[in-house]
Amino acid sequence: MKKRMVCGLIALAFVCSSLFIMTSCAKKQIGVSERVEKPVIVEEEKVVVVEEEEKAPVAEEKVVVVVEEEKAEAERRAKAEMLAAKIREFDTENIYFAFDKSDLRPKARATLKKKAAFLRGDFSFRVLIAGNCDERGTEAYNLALGERRAHSAKKYLMALGISGDRISTVSYGEERPADPAHTPAAWELNRRDNFTLLR
Amino acid sequence: MGSKSMFFFLGRVSASLFVWMGLLFFTLLSVPEQCLGRIYIDINAPSIPKFNIAIPDFKNLNENKEHPELAQKLAGVLSNDLYLSGYFNPMDKGAFLEEKGAPMTAEGIRFKDWSVIGAELLLKGGYTCIGSRVEVVVRLFDVFWGRQILGRRALGELRQYRHVMHRLSNEIIRKLTGQDGIFLTKLAFVGNATGNKEIYVSDYDGHNVRQITSDKSIALLPSWSPDGKKLVYNSYKDGGPMLYLKDMASGAVTRISSRSGLNIGACWAPNGKELALTLSRKGNSDIFTINLKGEILKHLINHWALDVSPTFSPDVTKIAFVSNRSGSPQIYTLDLTNGRKERLTFEGNYNTSPAWSSQNRIAFTSLEDGAFDIYTMDLEGGMQKRLTEGQRNNESPCWSPDGRYIVFSSNREGRYHLYIMNANGGDQIRITSLKGDQTSPSWAP
């Protein structure tokens, strides 16, 4: 019995050890075969990737350039439209004065601040300020008053950092009414500075 | 003007001389002492009663009766002149009893027919057309005394018949007042009939209008030289309000001040060699004098305020001008000999447009209750007299060269037109009837 148990144990141990060896051998083999194959595959992949990378940029760049040109065109158009809108706003937004006065009221100052911001942002523009009066009063006096109104705006823009070289003025007195009616409402609209951007 | 017209007045060596001499002799003999050299109209009197004057249509003395329409036209010009002078009340022709073809001499006229309808003076005229010329004779009669006061004959171009009649009107006024009439004077003004403001000139009565600028821009503030041969005005044709001088004889236009800013409201010194005006080349409007080349002579007013509208005194010792140094536009004088300034107007917030007359009064415009009216004052600002009232806006007064009338613009009938009135504000009569507005008059001798 004892002999049988020993034999059995030995046999078991052998089987177990051989099993152990076999499994570890198999593991090693797998490992080896991986080590051998991997570099090849990786190298092949690398080449492919490199080739793809070398080819792709040419193709992709073309696509990208086309896209960017379209975008730039659109952006430029949008910018131009925005600028045109800004110019329109600049040119149409007047400032207004009280009868026989040339001092700037708060609303006029706010408007001029916007204009100064625009002029600071784009040095390619200059501005012509035209001073105007309502129809009441004496022509010569209104010409001088209109000039003073234009100068009020010029001085304020200069105080906001706009160079005086970029600002010219002209007085039209009562000669260029915005509204030709002979009513207080029209007079209010006519006592104004209007602005023209120039390049 | 008038260089082509020829005039043969009474006394000129002609066939009619002896007839006229005879008449004059007869008149001298029969005139009572107190009436000799009588001034019928004392134009310096504070109020002048108007003479009722009858002016029947003129008689066509030509056998062929050419230009029958002149019978009314010639009488019309003369009647309008005498009416505008403010010294006469031309009577309605409908009241005249006289038959056509009635005689033109004191002996033949039935003065009773004229006195019965209230005429104090009777003016008879006749004309003869000779080719392109017309000869006109006028005789003025005192209806009460039944005798001739004046007889004059004039010859001129047919197309300038108004000018011929103005000459005769002047003779009548000189005879009755001892002073020259205004009938040969001229106006310049701004009109916008074309849609642009341009400068126009006309006779004193608003007739014979000529457009003298075609800048298609804005032309403003014309001012005649004292001899009536040159005109300065502003135009925007080169951008800003620059000053131009037009020589009326040659038609040449010169730009004489084109400084940056204003070059406006030039007024002539009485010597015709310099101009006072507003310049703003340094950003502030001041008053300067310049010569006719535009070179600066003097910086008369140097002040931070608005200083505009200079006008010289006739003796050139002072200018009057407008300044807003007090906070509102008021009229000041500057003594050119010592630099002293004096404020003349204190009432109201808007006194502008001073005009200094040869009779040493200053006319100006004042804003009251939303309307502009014309006033006059003495040289210290006293004796103010309001000349217009309750007829909308009345602006830009300008004196006649003799200082007895004022031309101004008013929108009392809708658009702005030119009116004249006498120095006291009497007889305000519209003289322009162009399209659009007529403003900013200047009156030349």
Side-chain angles (χ1 to χ4, degrees):
Chain A
M1 230 354 238
K2 219 178 169 183
K3 264 188 179 175
R4 267 192 188 172
M5 273 180 68
V6 172
C7 281
L9 275 171
I10 288 167
L12 185 70
F14 182 80
V15 168
C16 284
S17 63
S18 64
L19 257 176
F20 177 71
I21 289 161
M22 274 178 75
T23 48
S24 62
C25 270
K27 260 186 191 172
K28 270 176 192 171
Q29 275 173 341
I30 292 165
V32 169
S33 73
E34 271 180 356
R35 255 182 223 151
V36 174
E37 280 175 19
K38 231 184 185 174
V40 178
I41 295 163
V42 168
E43 271 175 29
E44 273 178 4
E45 274 178 354
K46 255 189 188 170
V47 170
V48 171
V49 170
V50 168
E51 275 179 357
E52 273 182 353
E53 270 178 358
E54 272 175 359
K55 278 179 191 167
V58 179
E60 264 178 350
E61 253 178 15
K62 270 184 188 164
V63 172
V64 168
V65 167
V66 169
V67 168
E68 271 185 356
E69 269 180 354
E70 272 175 7
K71 255 190 193 168
E73 185 65 32
E75 267 174 30
R76 213 176 296 135
R77 217 177 296 135
K79 257 190 190 170
E81 267 165 27
M82 219 161 71
L83 184 64
K86 273 187 174 174
I87 292 171
R88 224 175 301 127
E89 189 192 343
F90 194 106
D91 283 353
T92 52
E93 202 170 358
N94 299 330
I95 63 171
Y96 298 95
F97 297 87
F99 178 67
D100 191 27
K101 292 283 181 283
S102 57
D103 53 309
L104 300 172
R105 295 185 285 193
K107 203 177 166 198
R109 285 168 195 268
T111 306
L112 287 171
K113 277 179 187 157
K114 274 202 296 189
K115 293 188 192 295
F118 178 89
L119 289 168
R120 264 197 304 270
D122 192 336
F123 282 88
S124 65
F125 284 104
R126 296 182 300 112
V127 61
L128 171 66
I129 308 174
N132 297 274
C133 303
D134 68 36
E135 62 180 345
R136 293 170 302 163
T138 303
E139 247 158 12
Y141 184 77
N142 276 344
L143 286 167
L145 180 62
E147 180 170 72
R148 180 125 325 171
R149 284 175 176 166
H151 275 278
S152 290
K154 177 176 177 174
K155 279 183 198 156
Y156 194 68
L157 288 177
M158 285 170 72
L160 294 173
I162 309 304
S163 162
D165 301 342
R166 299 174 61 198
I167 308 168
S168 46
T169 57
V170 64
S171 172
Y172 288 112
E174 56 192 81
E175 302 303 328
R176 291 263 173 99
D179 181 342
H182 312 290
T183 61
W187 295 335
E188 214 162 290
L189 288 177
N190 294 338
R191 294 189 300 263
R192 74 199 191 281
D193 279 347
N194 58 294
F195 299 81
T196 311
L197 280 173
L198 309 166
R199 287 235 203 213
Chain B
M1 194 197 274
S3 60
K4 284 183 185 166
S5 307
M6 289 177 66
F7 295 92
F8 298 99
F9 285 101
L10 173 70
R12 204 180 165 93
V13 179
S14 72
S16 61
L17 174 69
F18 295 104
V19 177
W20 288 109
M21 286 282 280
L23 264 173
L24 185 67
F25 187 60
F26 174 80
T27 310
L28 282 173
L29 277 183
S30 62
V31 169
E33 281 297 307
Q34 72 268 23
C35 283
L36 264 180
R38 175 184 169 188
I39 297 293
Y40 275 76
I41 300 165
D42 177 9
I43 55 176
N44 294 315
S47 74
I48 305 164
K50 286 186 190 193
F51 277 96
N52 285 333
I53 186 166
I55 309 175
D57 285 352
F58 282 18
K59 209 168 162 180
N60 195 340
L61 303 172
N62 188 317
E63 283 175 9
N64 300 329
K65 305 291 176 200
E66 288 173 277
H67 296 286
E69 76 285 357
L70 285 180
Q72 267 193 32
K73 279 185 175 173
L74 298 178
V77 176
L78 201 135
S79 174
N80 191 46
D81 280 349
L82 297 183
Y83 171 58
L84 290 175
S85 77
Y87 306 137
F88 300 91
N89 173 30
M91 298 174 73
D92 180 7
K93 284 183 200 167
F96 299 171
L97 304 168
E98 195 182 69
E99 288 160 25
K100 261 198 166 176
M104 284 186 62
T105 56
E107 296 78 27
I109 293 167
R110 288 161 60 187
F111 285 104
K112 250 193 149 177
D113 283 355
W114 296 104
S115 64
V116 76
I117 60 165
E120 295 162 279
L121 295 169
L122 169 65
L123 190 127
K124 291 224 151 195
Y127 65 99
T128 316
C129 293
I130 315 142
S132 66
R133 299 188 149 203
V134 60
E135 187 182 41
V136 184
V137 58
V138 295
R139 289 172 198 161
L140 183 65
F141 301 93
D142 182 322
V143 172
F144 182 77
W145 291 102
R147 69 174 168 264
Q148 184 170 326
I149 301 168
L150 162 145
R152 292 285 187 276
R153 190 178 293 267
L155 179 70
E157 293 292 324
L158 191 56
R159 57 188 175 82
Q160 291 184 349
Y161 72 90
R162 297 193 70 90
H163 186 76
V164 173
M165 294 317 295
H166 291 325
R167 289 294 293 254
L168 291 169
S169 300
N170 259 6
E171 293 293 319
I172 291 166
I173 287 294
R174 190 181 295 132
K175 179 74 186 179
L176 297 181
T177 69
Q179 306 276 334
D180 279 335
I182 55 168
F183 311 118
L184 291 168
T185 59
K186 284 171 291 184
L187 300 174
F189 56 89
V190 173
N192 62 2
T194 61
N196 291 113
K197 283 201 170 179
E198 304 281 6
I199 307 288
Y200 295 77
V201 299
S202 74
D203 292 349
Y204 93 99
D205 56 2
H207 286 267
N208 195 17
V209 177
R210 282 175 297 144
Q211 183 183 334
I212 64 149
T213 62
S214 300
D215 296 346
K216 297 185 175 62
S217 169
I218 306 166
L220 297 171
L221 301 167
S223 175
W224 283 108
S225 63
D227 62 5
K229 291 179 177 167
K230 298 186 186 82
L231 191 67
V232 291
Y233 59 92
N234 287 115
S235 172
Y236 278 74
K237 68 173 176 177
D238 296 324
M242 297 173 191
L243 186 68
Y244 299 81
L245 181 138
K246 184 173 176 103
D247 184 284
M248 297 306 287
S250 71
V253 176
T254 328
R255 192 173 78 190
I256 59 171
S257 186
S258 54
R259 297 170 172 92
S260 75
L262 308 173
N263 305 266
I264 60 157
C267 112
W268 293 81
N271 68 9
K273 288 178 179 160
E274 56 186 89
L275 298 155
L277 82 168
T278 296
L279 299 176
S280 66
R281 63 208 173 117
K282 288 181 179 153
N284 179 46
S285 56
D286 276 342
I287 294 172
F288 294 77
T289 49
I290 58 172
N291 62 23
L292 298 194
K293 290 179 193 158
E295 296 158 345
I296 289 176
L297 303 174
K298 280 183 188 148
H299 192 164
L300 293 183
I301 303 290
N302 185 358
H303 195 279
W304 56 264
L306 303 182
D307 299 294
V308 294
S309 301
T311 172
F312 280 97
S313 67
D315 63 3
V316 209
T317 58
K318 287 183 175 179
I319 61 161
F321 64 101
V322 172
S323 176
N324 72 345
R325 58 192 61 191
S326 69
S328 64
Q330 300 292 344
I331 295 167
Y332 295 76
T333 52
L334 165 71
D335 190 321
L336 298 171
T337 59
N338 59 21
R340 225 173 44 218
K341 292 172 202 80
E342 198 184 333
R343 179 170 167 182
L344 301 193
T345 53
F346 292 90
E347 290 197 19
N349 294 325
Y350 205 105
N351 295 301
T352 56
S353 285
W356 203 313
S357 86
S358 57
Q359 306 284 324
N360 273 322
R361 274 185 80 77
I362 294 174
F364 62 100
T365 303
S366 185
L367 173 64
E368 201 185 313
D369 299 329
F372 290 87
D373 275 304
I374 293 170
Y375 294 69
T376 58
M377 62 184 166
D378 67 22
L379 307 185
E380 279 75 46
M383 303 279 290
Q384 289 201 4
K385 188 169 165 43
R386 184 173 187 165
L387 305 190
T388 61
E389 191 166 3
Q391 293 195 287
R392 301 189 70 186
N393 295 300
N394 302 277
E395 301 178 61
S396 309
C398 174
W399 293 93
S400 60
D402 65 4
R404 301 193 184 278
Y405 302 89
I406 292 172
V407 61
F408 60 101
S409 71
S410 174
N411 64 347
R412 60 183 65 179
E413 293 169 79
R415 304 299 292 258
Y416 276 91
H417 297 293
L418 299 186
Y419 295 75
I420 62 175
M421 61 182 167
N422 69 39
N424 294 322
D427 302 310
Q428 301 184 7
I429 301 161
R430 178 172 157 185
I431 55 163
T432 55
S433 50
L434 300 174
K435 241 174 62 182
D437 302 289
Q438 297 90 49
T439 52
S440 209
S442 173
W443 203 328

